[in-house]
Coordinates of all heavy atoms in Angstrom, one line a residue:
M252 N 266.5 -95.2 -25.2 CA 266.5 -95.7 -23.9 C 267.2 -94.9 -22.9 O 266.8 -94.5 -21.9 CB 267.1 -97.1 -24.0 CG 266.8 -98.1 -22.8 SD 265.0 -98.2 -22.6 CE 265.0 -99.1 -21.0
K253 N 268.4 -94.5 -23.4 CA 269.3 -93.6 -22.5 C 268.6 -92.3 -22.3 O 268.6 -91.8 -21.2 CB 270.6 -93.4 -23.2 CG 271.7 -93.0 -22.2 CD 273.1 -93.0 -22.9 CE 274.0 -92.3 -21.9 NZ 275.0 -91.5 -22.7
N254 N 268.0 -91.8 -23.3 CA 267.3 -90.5 -23.2 C 266.1 -90.6 -22.2 O 265.9 -89.7 -21.4 CB 266.8 -90.0 -24.5 CG 267.9 -89.4 -25.3 OD1 268.9 -89.0 -24.8 ND2 267.6 -89.2 -26.6
N255 N 265.4 -91.7 -22.2 CA 264.3 -91.9 -21.2 C 264.8 -91.8 -19.8 O 264.2 -91.2 -18.9 CB 263.6 -93.2 -21.5 CG 262.6 -93.1 -22.6 OD1 262.3 -92.0 -23.1 ND2 262.2 -94.2 -23.1
L256 N 265.9 -92.5 -19.6 CA 266.5 -92.6 -18.3 C 266.9 -91.2 -17.8 O 266.6 -90.8 -16.7 CB 267.7 -93.5 -18.3 CG 268.3 -93.8 -16.9 CD1 267.2 -94.6 -16.1 CD2 269.6 -94.7 -17.1
L257 N 267.5 -90.4 -18.7 CA 267.9 -89.1 -18.3 C 266.7 -88.2 -18.0 O 266.7 -87.4 -17.0 CB 268.7 -88.4 -19.5 CG 270.1 -88.8 -19.6 CD1 270.7 -88.2 -20.9 CD2 270.9 -88.5 -18.4
A258 N 265.6 -88.4 -18.7 CA 264.4 -87.7 -18.5 C 263.8 -88.0 -17.1 O 263.4 -87.1 -16.3 CB 263.3 -88.0 -19.5
V259 N 263.9 -89.3 -16.7 CA 263.4 -89.7 -15.4 C 264.2 -89.1 -14.3 O 263.7 -88.5 -13.3 CB 263.4 -91.2 -15.3 CG1 263.1 -91.7 -13.8 CG2 262.3 -91.8 -16.2
V260 N 265.5 -89.1 -14.5 CA 266.4 -88.5 -13.5 C 266.1 -87.0 -13.4 O 266.0 -86.4 -12.3 CB 267.9 -88.7 -13.9 CG1 268.8 -87.9 -13.0 CG2 268.2 -90.2 -13.8
A261 N 265.9 -86.3 -14.5 CA 265.7 -84.9 -14.5 C 264.4 -84.6 -13.8 O 264.3 -83.6 -13.0 CB 265.6 -84.3 -15.9
I262 N 263.3 -85.4 -14.0 CA 262.0 -85.1 -13.4 C 262.1 -85.4 -11.9 O 261.6 -84.6 -11.1 CB 260.9 -86.0 -14.0 CG1 260.7 -85.6 -15.5 CG2 259.7 -86.0 -13.2 CD1 259.9 -86.5 -16.3
T263 N 262.8 -86.4 -11.5 CA 263.0 -86.8 -10.1 C 263.7 -85.6 -9.4 O 263.3 -85.2 -8.3 CB 263.7 -88.1 -9.9 OG1 263.1 -89.1 -10.7 CG2 263.7 -88.5 -8.5
A264 N 264.7 -85.1 -10.0 CA 265.5 -84.0 -9.4 C 264.6 -82.8 -9.3 O 264.6 -82.1 -8.3 CB 266.7 -83.7 -10.3
A265 N 263.8 -82.5 -10.3 CA 262.9 -81.3 -10.3 C 261.9 -81.4 -9.1 O 261.6 -80.5 -8.4 CB 262.2 -81.2 -11.6
L266 N 261.4 -82.7 -8.9 CA 260.4 -82.8 -7.9 C 261.1 -82.7 -6.5 O 260.5 -82.1 -5.6 CB 259.7 -84.2 -8.0 CG 258.8 -84.4 -9.1 CD1 258.3 -85.9 -9.2 CD2 257.6 -83.5 -9.0
G267 N 262.3 -83.2 -6.4 CA 263.0 -83.1 -5.2 C 263.2 -81.7 -4.8 O 263.2 -81.3 -3.6
V268 N 263.5 -80.8 -5.8 CA 263.7 -79.4 -5.5 C 262.4 -78.7 -5.2 O 262.3 -77.8 -4.3 CB 264.4 -78.7 -6.7 CG1 264.4 -77.2 -6.5 CG2 265.8 -79.2 -6.9
A269 N 261.3 -79.2 -5.8 CA 260.0 -78.5 -5.6 C 259.4 -78.8 -4.2 O 258.7 -78.0 -3.7 CB 259.0 -79.0 -6.7
A270 N 259.7 -80.0 -3.7 CA 259.0 -80.4 -2.4 C 259.2 -79.4 -1.3 O 258.2 -79.0 -0.7 CB 259.5 -81.8 -2.0
P271 N 260.4 -78.9 -1.0 CA 260.5 -77.9 0.1 C 259.7 -76.6 -0.1 O 259.2 -76.0 0.8 CB 262.0 -77.7 0.2 CG 262.6 -78.8 -0.5 CD 261.7 -79.2 -1.5
A272 N 259.6 -76.3 -1.4 CA 258.9 -75.1 -1.8 C 257.5 -75.1 -1.4 O 256.8 -74.1 -1.3 CB 259.1 -74.8 -3.3
L273 N 257.0 -76.4 -1.3 CA 255.5 -76.5 -1.0 C 255.3 -76.3 0.5 O 254.1 -76.2 0.9 CB 255.1 -78.0 -1.3 CG 255.2 -78.3 -2.8 CD1 254.9 -79.8 -2.9 CD2 254.1 -77.6 -3.5
A274 N 256.3 -76.3 1.3 CA 256.2 -76.3 2.8 C 255.3 -75.1 3.2 O 254.5 -75.3 4.1 CB 257.5 -76.2 3.4
G275 N 255.4 -74.0 2.5 CA 254.6 -72.8 2.9 C 253.1 -73.1 2.9 O 252.3 -72.4 3.5
D276 N 252.7 -74.1 2.1 CA 251.3 -74.4 2.0 C 250.6 -74.8 3.3 O 249.4 -74.9 3.4 CB 251.0 -75.4 0.9 CG 251.3 -74.8 -0.5 OD1 251.4 -73.6 -0.6 OD2 251.4 -75.6 -1.5
A277 N 251.5 -75.2 4.2 CA 251.0 -75.7 5.5 C 250.1 -74.6 6.2 O 249.2 -74.9 6.9 CB 252.1 -76.1 6.4
D278 N 250.4 -73.4 5.8 CA 249.6 -72.2 6.3 C 248.1 -72.4 6.0 O 247.2 -71.9 6.7 CB 250.1 -70.9 5.7 CG 251.4 -70.5 6.3 OD1 251.8 -71.2 7.3 OD2 252.0 -69.6 5.8
L279 N 247.9 -73.1 4.9 CA 246.5 -73.3 4.5 C 245.7 -74.0 5.6 O 244.6 -73.5 6.0 CB 246.5 -74.2 3.2 CG 245.1 -74.8 2.8 CD1 244.2 -73.6 2.3 CD2 245.2 -75.8 1.7
C280 N 246.2 -75.1 6.2 CA 245.5 -75.8 7.2 C 245.5 -74.9 8.5 O 244.5 -75.0 9.3 CB 246.2 -77.1 7.6 SG 246.8 -78.0 6.1
L281 N 246.6 -74.2 8.7 CA 246.7 -73.4 10.0 C 245.6 -72.3 10.0 O 245.4 -71.7 11.1 CB 248.1 -72.9 10.1 CG 249.2 -73.9 10.3 CD1 250.5 -73.3 10.4 CD2 248.9 -74.9 11.4
D282 N 245.1 -71.9 8.9 CA 244.0 -70.9 8.9 C 242.8 -71.4 9.8 O 242.1 -70.6 10.3 CB 243.5 -70.7 7.4 CG 244.3 -69.7 6.7 OD1 245.2 -69.1 7.3 OD2 244.1 -69.6 5.5
C283 N 242.6 -72.7 9.8 CA 241.5 -73.3 10.5 C 241.8 -74.2 11.6 O 241.0 -74.5 12.4 CB 240.6 -74.0 9.5 SG 239.9 -73.0 8.2
H284 N 243.1 -74.7 11.6 CA 243.4 -75.7 12.6 C 244.6 -75.4 13.5 O 245.5 -74.7 13.1 CB 243.8 -77.0 11.9 CG 242.6 -77.7 11.2 ND1 241.6 -78.3 11.9 CD2 242.3 -77.8 9.9 CE1 240.8 -78.8 11.1 NE2 241.1 -78.5 9.8
E285 N 244.5 -75.9 14.7 CA 245.7 -75.9 15.6 C 246.1 -77.4 15.7 O 245.5 -78.1 16.5 CB 245.2 -75.4 16.9 CG 246.3 -75.1 18.0 CD 247.3 -74.1 17.5 OE1 246.8 -72.9 17.3 OE2 248.5 -74.4 17.5
P286 N 247.0 -77.9 14.8 CA 247.3 -79.3 14.8 C 247.5 -80.0 16.1 O 246.9 -81.1 16.3 CB 248.5 -79.4 13.9 CG 248.5 -78.2 13.0 CD 247.8 -77.1 13.9
A287 N 248.2 -79.4 17.0 CA 248.5 -80.1 18.3 C 247.2 -80.4 19.1 O 247.1 -81.3 19.8 CB 249.5 -79.2 19.1
E288 N 246.2 -79.5 18.9 CA 245.0 -79.7 19.6 C 244.0 -80.4 18.8 O 243.4 -81.4 19.2 CB 244.4 -78.3 20.0 CG 245.1 -77.6 21.1 CD 244.5 -76.2 21.4 OE1 243.4 -76.0 21.0 OE2 245.3 -75.4 22.0
D289 N 243.7 -79.9 17.6 CA 242.7 -80.5 16.7 C 243.0 -82.0 16.3 O 242.1 -82.8 16.2 CB 242.6 -79.7 15.4 CG 242.0 -78.4 15.6 OD1 241.7 -78.0 16.8 OD2 241.7 -77.6 14.6
W290 N 244.3 -82.3 16.1 CA 244.6 -83.6 15.5 C 245.3 -84.5 16.5 O 245.9 -85.4 16.2 CB 245.4 -83.4 14.3 CG 244.9 -82.5 13.3 CD1 243.6 -82.1 13.2 CD2 245.6 -81.8 12.2 NE1 243.4 -81.2 12.1 CE2 244.6 -81.0 11.5 CE3 246.9 -81.8 11.8 CZ2 245.0 -80.2 10.4 CZ3 247.3 -81.0 10.7 CH2 246.3 -80.2 10.1
E291 N 245.1 -84.1 17.8 CA 245.8 -84.9 18.8 C 245.4 -86.4 18.7 O 244.2 -86.7 18.7 CB 245.4 -84.4 20.2 CG 246.4 -84.9 21.3 CD 245.9 -84.4 22.7 OE1 244.8 -83.8 22.8 OE2 246.7 -84.5 23.6
G292 N 246.3 -87.3 18.7 CA 246.0 -88.7 18.7 C 245.7 -89.3 17.3 O 245.5 -90.5 17.1
L293 N 245.7 -88.4 16.3 CA 245.4 -88.9 14.9 C 246.8 -89.2 14.3 O 247.8 -88.6 14.5 CB 244.7 -87.8 14.1 CG 243.3 -87.4 14.5 CD1 242.8 -86.4 13.5 CD2 242.4 -88.6 14.5
S294 N 246.8 -90.3 13.5 CA 248.0 -90.7 12.7 C 248.1 -89.8 11.5 O 247.1 -89.2 11.1 CB 247.9 -92.1 12.3 OG 246.9 -92.3 11.4
A295 N 249.2 -89.8 10.9 CA 249.4 -89.0 9.6 C 248.4 -89.5 8.6 O 247.9 -88.7 7.8 CB 250.8 -89.1 9.1
H296 N 248.2 -90.8 8.6 CA 247.3 -91.4 7.6 C 245.9 -90.9 7.8 O 245.2 -90.6 6.8 CB 247.4 -92.9 7.7 CG 246.5 -93.6 6.8 ND1 246.8 -93.8 5.5 CD2 245.2 -94.2 6.9 CE1 245.8 -94.4 4.9 NE2 244.8 -94.7 5.7
E297 N 245.5 -90.8 9.1 CA 244.1 -90.3 9.3 C 243.9 -88.8 9.0 O 242.9 -88.4 8.4 CB 243.8 -90.5 10.8 CG 243.5 -92.0 11.2 CD 243.5 -92.2 12.7 OE1 244.3 -91.6 13.4 OE2 242.8 -93.1 13.1
V298 N 245.0 -88.0 9.3 CA 244.9 -86.6 9.0 C 244.8 -86.4 7.5 O 244.0 -85.7 7.0 CB 246.1 -85.9 9.6 CG1 246.2 -84.4 9.1 CG2 246.1 -85.9 11.1
L299 N 245.7 -87.2 6.8 CA 245.7 -87.1 5.3 C 244.3 -87.5 4.7 O 243.8 -86.8 3.9 CB 246.8 -88.1 4.8 CG 247.0 -88.0 3.3 CD1 247.6 -86.7 2.9 CD2 247.9 -89.2 2.9
A300 N 243.7 -88.6 5.2 CA 242.4 -89.0 4.7 C 241.4 -88.0 5.0 O 240.5 -87.7 4.1 CB 242.1 -90.4 5.4
T301 N 241.4 -87.4 6.1 CA 240.4 -86.4 6.5 C 240.6 -85.1 5.7 O 239.6 -84.5 5.2 CB 240.4 -86.0 8.0 OG1 240.5 -87.2 8.7 CG2 239.2 -85.3 8.4
A302 N 241.9 -84.8 5.4 CA 242.2 -83.6 4.6 C 241.6 -83.7 3.2 O 241.1 -82.7 2.6 CB 243.7 -83.3 4.5
K303 N 241.6 -85.0 2.7 CA 241.0 -85.2 1.4 C 239.5 -85.3 1.4 O 238.9 -85.5 0.3 CB 241.7 -86.5 0.8 CG 243.1 -86.3 0.4 CD 243.6 -87.3 -0.5 CE 243.9 -88.6 0.2 NZ 244.6 -89.6 -0.7
D304 N 238.9 -85.4 2.6 CA 237.5 -85.6 2.7 C 236.7 -84.3 2.4 O 236.6 -83.4 3.3 CB 237.2 -86.1 4.1 CG 235.7 -86.3 4.3 OD1 234.9 -86.1 3.3 OD2 235.3 -86.7 5.4
T305 N 236.3 -84.1 1.2 CA 235.7 -82.8 0.8 C 234.2 -82.9 1.2 O 233.4 -81.9 0.8 CB 235.9 -82.5 -0.7 OG1 235.7 -83.6 -1.4 CG2 237.3 -81.9 -0.9
S306 N 233.7 -83.9 1.9 CA 232.4 -83.8 2.4 C 232.4 -82.9 3.6 O 231.3 -82.4 4.1 CB 231.9 -85.2 2.9 OG 232.6 -85.7 4.0
I307 N 233.6 -82.6 4.1 CA 233.8 -81.4 5.1 C 233.8 -80.2 4.2 O 234.8 -80.0 3.4 CB 235.0 -81.6 5.9 CG1 235.0 -82.8 6.8 CG2 235.3 -80.3 6.8 CD1 236.2 -83.1 7.6
E308 N 232.8 -79.4 4.2 CA 232.7 -78.3 3.2 C 233.9 -77.4 3.2 O 234.3 -77.0 2.1 CB 231.5 -77.5 3.6 CG 230.3 -77.6 2.6 CD 229.1 -76.8 3.0 OE1 229.2 -75.6 3.1 OE2 228.1 -77.5 3.4
R309 N 234.4 -77.2 4.4 CA 235.5 -76.2 4.4 C 236.8 -76.8 3.9 O 237.9 -76.2 3.9 CB 235.7 -75.7 5.8 CG 234.3 -75.1 6.3 CD 234.5 -74.1 7.4 NE 235.1 -72.9 6.9 CZ 235.6 -71.9 7.7 NH1 235.5 -72.0 9.0 NH2 236.1 -70.8 7.2
H310 N 236.8 -78.1 3.5 CA 238.0 -78.7 2.9 C 238.0 -78.6 1.4 O 238.8 -79.3 0.8 CB 238.1 -80.2 3.4 CG 238.7 -80.4 4.7 ND1 238.9 -81.6 5.3 CD2 239.2 -79.4 5.6 CE1 239.5 -81.4 6.5 NE2 239.6 -80.1 6.7
A311 N 237.1 -77.9 0.9 CA 237.0 -77.8 -0.6 C 238.3 -77.4 -1.3 O 238.7 -78.0 -2.3 CB 235.9 -76.8 -1.0
D312 N 239.0 -76.5 -0.6 CA 240.3 -76.0 -1.2 C 241.3 -77.1 -1.2 O 242.3 -77.1 -2.0 CB 240.8 -74.8 -0.4 CG 240.1 -73.5 -0.8 OD1 239.3 -73.6 -1.7 OD2 240.3 -72.5 -0.1
N313 N 241.2 -78.1 -0.3 CA 242.2 -79.1 -0.2 C 242.2 -80.0 -1.5 O 243.2 -80.6 -1.8 CB 242.0 -80.0 1.0 CG 242.2 -79.3 2.3 OD1 242.6 -78.2 2.3 ND2 241.9 -80.0 3.4
A314 N 241.1 -80.0 -2.2 CA 241.0 -80.7 -3.5 C 241.9 -80.2 -4.5 O 242.2 -80.9 -5.5 CB 239.5 -80.7 -4.0
D315 N 242.4 -79.0 -4.4 CA 243.4 -78.4 -5.3 C 244.7 -79.0 -5.2 O 245.6 -78.8 -6.0 CB 243.5 -76.9 -5.1 CG 242.2 -76.2 -5.5 OD1 241.4 -76.8 -6.2 OD2 242.0 -75.0 -5.1
L316 N 245.0 -79.6 -4.0 CA 246.3 -80.2 -3.8 C 246.3 -81.6 -4.1 O 245.4 -82.4 -4.0 CB 246.6 -80.0 -2.3 CG 246.6 -78.6 -1.8 CD1 246.7 -78.6 -0.2 CD2 247.8 -77.8 -2.3
N317 N 247.5 -82.1 -4.7 CA 247.6 -83.5 -5.0 C 248.1 -84.3 -3.8 O 248.5 -83.7 -2.7 CB 248.5 -83.8 -6.2 CG 249.9 -83.3 -6.0 OD1 250.4 -83.4 -4.9 ND2 250.5 -82.9 -7.1
D318 N 248.1 -85.6 -3.9 CA 248.5 -86.4 -2.7 C 249.9 -86.1 -2.2 O 250.0 -86.0 -0.9 CB 248.6 -87.9 -3.2 CG 247.3 -88.6 -2.8 OD1 246.2 -87.9 -2.7 OD2 247.3 -89.8 -2.7
E319 N 250.8 -85.8 -3.1 CA 252.2 -85.5 -2.6 C 252.2 -84.2 -1.8 O 252.9 -84.1 -0.8 CB 253.1 -85.4 -3.8 CG 253.4 -86.8 -4.5 CD 253.8 -87.8 -3.5 OE1 254.8 -87.6 -2.8 OE2 253.3 -89.0 -3.5
Q320 N 251.5 -83.3 -2.3 CA 251.5 -82.0 -1.6 C 250.8 -82.1 -0.2 O 251.3 -81.6 0.7 CB 250.7 -80.9 -2.5 CG 251.4 -80.5 -3.7 CD 250.6 -79.7 -4.7 OE1 249.4 -80.0 -4.9 NE2 251.1 -78.6 -5.1
L321 N 249.7 -82.8 -0.2 CA 249.0 -83.0 1.1 C 249.9 -83.8 2.1 O 250.0 -83.4 3.3 CB 247.7 -83.7 0.9 CG 246.5 -82.8 0.4 CD1 245.3 -83.7 0.1 CD2 246.2 -81.8 1.5
K322 N 250.6 -84.8 1.5 CA 251.5 -85.6 2.4 C 252.6 -84.7 3.0 O 252.9 -84.8 4.2 CB 252.1 -86.7 1.6 CG 251.3 -88.0 1.7 CD 252.1 -89.1 1.0 CE 251.1 -90.2 0.5 NZ 251.6 -91.1 -0.5
A323 N 253.1 -83.9 2.1 CA 254.2 -83.0 2.6 C 253.7 -82.0 3.7 O 254.4 -81.8 4.7 CB 254.8 -82.2 1.4
I324 N 252.5 -81.5 3.5 CA 252.0 -80.6 4.4 C 251.7 -81.3 5.8 O 252.1 -80.8 6.8 CB 250.7 -80.0 3.9 CG1 251.0 -79.0 2.7 CG2 249.9 -79.2 5.0 CD1 249.8 -78.5 1.9
V325 N 251.0 -82.4 5.7 CA 250.7 -83.1 6.9 C 251.9 -83.5 7.7 O 252.0 -83.4 8.9 CB 249.8 -84.4 6.6 CG1 249.6 -85.3 7.8 CG2 248.4 -83.9 6.1
A326 N 252.9 -84.0 6.9 CA 254.2 -84.4 7.6 C 254.8 -83.3 8.3 O 255.3 -83.4 9.4 CB 255.2 -85.0 6.5
E327 N 254.8 -82.1 7.6 CA 255.4 -80.9 8.2 C 254.6 -80.5 9.5 O 255.2 -80.2 10.5 CB 255.4 -79.8 7.2 CG 256.2 -78.6 7.7 CD 255.9 -77.3 6.9 OE1 255.4 -77.4 5.8 OE2 256.3 -76.2 7.5
L328 N 253.3 -80.5 9.4 CA 252.5 -80.0 10.5 C 252.6 -81.0 11.7 O 252.6 -80.6 12.9 CB 251.0 -79.9 10.1 CG 250.8 -78.7 9.2 CD1 249.3 -78.7 8.7 CD2 251.1 -77.4 9.9
L329 N 252.7 -82.3 11.4 CA 252.7 -83.3 12.5 C 254.1 -83.3 13.2 O 254.3 -83.8 14.3 CB 252.3 -84.6 12.1 CG 250.8 -84.8 11.7 CD1 250.5 -86.2 11.2 CD2 249.9 -84.4 12.8
A330 N 255.1 -82.8 12.4 CA 256.5 -82.8 13.0 C 256.7 -81.7 14.0 O 257.6 -81.7 14.8 CB 257.5 -82.7 11.8
E331 N 255.8 -80.7 14.0 CA 256.0 -79.5 14.8 C 255.7 -79.8 16.3 O 254.9 -80.7 16.6 CB 255.2 -78.3 14.3 CG 255.9 -77.7 13.1 CD 255.0 -76.6 12.5 OE1 253.9 -76.4 12.9 OE2 255.5 -76.1 11.4
Ligands
HEC401 C1 238.5 -73.3 5.8 C2 238.8 -74.0 7.0 C3 239.6 -75.3 6.9 C4 240.8 -75.5 6.3 C5 241.6 -74.5 5.5 C6 241.2 -76.9 6.6 N1 240.3 -77.5 7.4 FE1 240.4 -79.3 8.3 N2 238.5 -79.1 9.1 C7 237.8 -78.0 9.0 C8 236.5 -78.2 9.6 C9 235.3 -77.3 9.6 C10 236.5 -79.6 10.1 C11 235.3 -80.4 10.7 C12 235.6 -80.8 12.1 C13 235.5 -79.7 13.0 O1 234.4 -79.1 13.2 O2 236.5 -79.3 13.6 C14 237.8 -80.1 9.8 C15 238.3 -81.3 10.2 C16 239.6 -81.8 10.0 C17 240.2 -83.0 10.6 C18 239.5 -83.9 11.5 C19 239.9 -83.6 13.0 C20 239.3 -82.3 13.4 O3 240.0 -81.3 13.5 O4 238.1 -82.2 13.6 C21 241.4 -83.1 10.1 C22 242.5 -84.2 10.4 C23 241.7 -82.0 9.2 N3 240.5 -81.2 9.1 C24 242.8 -81.7 8.5 C25 243.1 -80.6 7.6 C26 244.3 -80.4 6.9 C27 245.5 -81.4 6.8 C28 244.2 -79.2 6.2 C29 245.2 -78.6 5.3 C30 245.6 -79.3 4.1 C31 242.9 -78.7 6.6 N4 242.2 -79.6 7.4 C32 242.4 -77.5 6.2 C33 238.1 -76.8 8.4 C34 239.3 -76.5 7.6

């Protein structure tokens, strides 16, 4: 039981450290988008949903990212 708890703490810590390292991935969207113009008036939720929409052919690469990664990217881009 105690070991499980330690494992959870270790994994959480590892993810916490990994998140900022993902920030550079925001460049992926910037290859094609100017967030302030393209996504004006869209909520983070809408941007996230559209980013995952691979019926937009050019979003095929976004499928390589998991939800957490996309969320971090969208949050970063909308914060600028
Ligand atoms: C290879 C080019 C490409 C990349 C990379 C890309 N997109 Fe797009 N995105 C498009 C195209 C094409 C559309 C279709 C709408 C249009 O014609 O502008 C679109 C549409 C959107 C829209 C709907 C609003 C709009 O601009 O029309 C959102 C929101 C969006 N993308 C988010 C993202 C996010 C977030 C990422 C990064 C994780 C991303 N996109 C990466 C090409 C791209």
Side-chain angles (χ1 to χ4, degrees):
M252 200 55 191
K253 197 173 171 216
N254 281 341
N255 280 347
L256 189 64
L257 282 177
V259 169
V260 170
I262 290 166
T263 308
L266 289 175
V268 170
L273 296 169
D276 291 348
D278 289 349
L279 171 70
C280 318
L281 297 178
D282 277 351
C283 299
H284 290 288
E285 188 63 59
E288 287 177 20
D289 290 5
W290 308 339
E291 196 184 11
L293 295 180
S294 68
H296 180 78
E297 287 167 326
V298 173
L299 185 68
T301 314
K303 287 198 282 190
D304 179 2
T305 45
S306 70
I307 297 175
E308 252 176 64
R309 307 204 69 192
H310 278 182
D312 284 351
N313 293 356
D315 293 341
L316 301 169
N317 65 32
D318 263 24
E319 291 307 311
Q320 290 171 312
L321 280 173
K322 266 186 208 163
I324 290 172
V325 170
E327 189 196 342
L328 290 174
L329 291 181
E331 280 172 4

